[in-house]
């Protein structure tokens, strides 16, 4: 890839998938090692799907239309800005060979059957978490409008517990980074499973709104009732849209667009994080929805249309040929490119037979969501939104990130001294100056008024219980409107140091080193 053209963005011509003709500056995070991690035989979670997605992006010619970045792994101190020290230490130390000596810790941290110990587990967590926060750093700098990390979106992980194939909650870490300069951040989750880990982290704050569209009732994780609306300052800033089996494109959009339109009008976020879990697609190994790839991507297109900085993340998705097709198509939507349905030949071509098409169609499964049910849900959600004040006021001075673009020649510096293992030095993002000078500016718009054994094993439908809310795992410190302004500025200064992301060459298509901060208790 020619570095001078990196990050130039798509042509964004009006197309059926993306009628909005505004150009977008897109960066994309990928580590070529991510596809090597293996949860184990028979496990439905397969990181290999990210490598398949990347291959499709290359053969569709999309990599040359965005800045491709190799992420730096997050360090211990980065992960412990949300996760507990002992949990991170356990993830770092446990191996398949030593796990039998740590039975109590395995139980304590919920690591085992669904979230197994495998070779390179901690490196995997560092990779996908660092990529998500690196994307947030890029958005904070304002040099990009959309950042993509398909290896991220692991929304079930808790402060001190693995859950639902998720170990580290990269989404929470990325949102914390975005909160550094944005008063409000919106999180939207279109995975078939409820985004419980993210909701729990921000359940008591009005600076993050979480909106989850998910299957509810006898289904993992068992949370996400429409009556769960947040607590204390976060009341009504948590929205749950519970859906039933077989929801199709038309039904989904009939509720997604009205709700998100009202959310954007009332909340007015400075940035949006969209978790694009592909297990809501028709035919997913563990899913029971009936969305086509076009219907799924319609959510991406709609959120893109608001011209707010957008972080696109992966998530669930267990029929991997469909996952790769979906995320490739949605990358095209982000770039404003209409991709041909006939798939180009690629190294995974045989996975996509016999149709060899980019698009995942709907099936003829029954839609158990009636029009009345959907209307009732929509009305309830809109009623909750009506109880919000427009754009909650937070005494927060917008500031530029501490990460400064390098002005000196780094080749003249000692790389070990520049970034030693214990260094807190601020590192700048490296990108071509010519590219930066050519970037266009986006003007923000105003907002207007088949059950298998694996399924049984991993659904956790029976016995799932709603978790206690607001007890110890929420990001309590970010809701700080009553604090002294000088204290808030000090906290903002410390919320995050910054990251450096390496521009990938075309031949080494493979996380920003991120320092997210401890919560506000540190200041007290």
């Amino acid at each position: 890839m020619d570095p001078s053209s990196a990050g130039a963005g798509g042509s964004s011509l009006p197309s059926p998938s993306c009628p909005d003709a505004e150009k977008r500056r897109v960066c994309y995070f990928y580590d070529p090692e991510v596809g090597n991690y293996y949860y184990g035989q028979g496990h439905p979670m397969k990181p290999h799907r990210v490598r398949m997605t990347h291959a499709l992006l290359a053969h569709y010619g999309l990599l040359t239309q965005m800045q491709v970045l190799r992420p730096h792994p997050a360090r211990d101190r980065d992960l412990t800005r949300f996760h507990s020290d002992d949990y991170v230490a356990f993830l770092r130390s446990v191996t398949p060979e030593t796990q039998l000596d740590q039975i109590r810790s395995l139980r304590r941290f919920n690591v085992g059957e669904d979230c197994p110990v495998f070779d390179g587990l901690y490196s995997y967590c560092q990779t996908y978490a660092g990529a998500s926060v690196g994307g947030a750093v890029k958005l904070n700098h304002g040099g990009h409008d959309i950042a993509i990390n398909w290896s991220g979106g692991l929304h079930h992980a808790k402060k001190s517990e693995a859950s639902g194939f998720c170990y580290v909650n990269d989404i929470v870490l990325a949102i914390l980074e975005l909160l550094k300069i944005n008063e409000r951040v919106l999180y939207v989750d279109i995975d078939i499973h409820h985004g419980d880990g993210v909701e729990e982290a921000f359940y008591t704050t009005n600076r993050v709104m979480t909106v989850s569209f998910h299957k509810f009732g006898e289904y993992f994780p068992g949370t996400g009732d429409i009556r769960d609306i947040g607590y204390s300052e976060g009341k009504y800033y948590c929205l749950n849209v519970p859906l039933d089996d077989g929801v199709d494109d038309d039904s989904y959009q009939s509720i997604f667009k009205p709700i998100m339109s009202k959310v954007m009008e009332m909340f007015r976020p400075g940035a949006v994080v969209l978790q694009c879990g592909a297990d809501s697609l028709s035919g997913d190994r563990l899913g029971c929805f009936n969305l086509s790839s076009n219907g799924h991507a319609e959510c991406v297109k709609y959120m893109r249309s608001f011209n707010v900085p957008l972080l696109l993340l992966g998530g669930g998705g267990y029929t991997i040929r469909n996952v790769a097709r979906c995320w490739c198509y949605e990358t095209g939507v982000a770039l404003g490119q209409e991709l041909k349905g006939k798939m180009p030949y690629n190294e995974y071509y045989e996975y996509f037979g016999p149709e060899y098409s980019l698009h995942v169609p709907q099936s003829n499964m029954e839609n158990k969501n009636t029009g009345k049910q959907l209307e009732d849900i929509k009305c309830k959600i809109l009623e909750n939104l009506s109880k919000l004040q427009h754009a909650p006021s937070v005494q927060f001075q917008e500031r530029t990130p501490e990460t400064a673009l390098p002005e000196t020649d780094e080749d003249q510096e000692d790389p070990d001294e520049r970034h030693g293992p214990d260094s807190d030095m601020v590192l700048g993002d490296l990108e071509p100056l010519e590219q930066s000078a050519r970037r266009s500016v986006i003007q923000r718009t105003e907002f207007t008024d088949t059950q298998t054994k694996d399924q049984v094993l991993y659904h956790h439908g029976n016995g799932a219980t709603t978790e206690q809310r607001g007890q110890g795992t929420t990001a309590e410190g970010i809701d700080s409107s009553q604090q002294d302004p000088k204290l808030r500025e000090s906290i903002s200064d410390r919320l995050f140091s910054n990251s450096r992301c390496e521009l990938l060459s075309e031949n080494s298509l493979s996380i920003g080193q991120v320092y997210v901060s401890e919560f506000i208790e540190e200041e007290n």
Side-chain angles (χ1 to χ4, degrees), residues 42-85:
H43 199 290
M45 179 60 125
K46 302 184 184 302
H48 178 64
R49 65 200 179 141
V50 180
R51 177 178 287 160
M52 293 171 61
T53 302
H54 186 77
L56 289 181
L57 296 179
H59 287 276
Y60 269 103
L62 298 181
L63 296 180
T64 60
Q65 301 182 44
M66 53 189 177
Q67 188 178 37
V68 182
L69 297 165
R70 177 173 184 161
H72 283 274
R75 300 181 298 182
D76 290 9
R77 69 183 72 176
D78 310 331
L79 304 179
T80 55
R81 302 318 183 198
F82 172 61
H83 294 284
S84 64
D85 292 351

Side-chain angles (χ1 to χ4, degrees), residues 212-233:
S212 179
F213 298 79
H214 52 268
K215 159 72 175 176
F216 182 73
E218 295 298 315
Y219 202 74
F220 181 82
T223 51
D225 193 292
I226 195 171
R227 295 169 294 183
D228 293 339
I229 57 174
Y231 181 75
S232 185
E233 293 297 319

Side-chain angles (χ1 to χ4, degrees), residues 285-430:
R285 179 179 174 185
L286 301 185
C288 56
F289 281 1
N290 192 24
L291 297 182
S292 71
S293 54
N294 288 340
H296 196 273
E298 185 71 18
C299 300
V300 178
K301 180 183 74 172
Y302 190 68
M303 298 312 299
R304 176 189 188 272
S305 71
F306 290 98
N307 287 341
V308 173
L310 178 61
L311 177 61
L312 296 179
L313 303 176
Y318 308 102
T319 302
I320 60 175
R321 65 181 182 274
N322 290 348
V323 176
R325 292 192 284 182
C326 177
W327 290 346
C328 175
Y329 184 68
E330 290 175 348
T331 304
V333 169
L335 287 164
Q337 296 293 307
E338 182 66 19
L339 305 182
K340 294 181 180 179
K342 182 175 175 56
M343 186 173 292
Y345 185 79
N346 60 86
E347 51 267 50
Y348 303 108
Y349 194 66
E350 65 277 6
Y351 280 70
F352 304 105
E355 66 279 2
Y356 302 104
S357 169
L358 180 64
H359 300 296
V360 180
Q362 295 181 119
S363 73
N364 60 355
M365 73 180 296
E366 177 188 2
N367 184 354
K368 295 184 179 181
N369 301 269
T370 67
K372 183 179 184 306
Q373 289 172 335
L374 294 174
E375 185 65 23
D376 289 345
I377 292 171
K378 180 177 72 173
C379 289
K380 181 62 176 176
I381 297 294
L382 295 179
E383 178 187 345
N384 289 341
L385 281 169
S386 70
K387 297 174 183 177
L388 295 178
Q389 295 180 353
H390 280 72
S393 176
V394 178
Q395 297 180 20
F396 187 89
Q397 180 67 38
E398 184 168 330
R399 309 168 62 251
T400 56
E402 282 82 354
T403 306
L405 295 178
E407 298 180 357
T408 57
D409 185 355
E410 290 193 346
D411 291 336
Q412 304 300 319
E413 302 176 14
D414 181 351
D416 294 328
E417 180 180 350
R418 185 174 71 242
H419 188 51
D422 298 316
S423 172
D424 283 327
M425 190 176 217
V426 173
L427 298 174
D429 293 298
L430 305 178

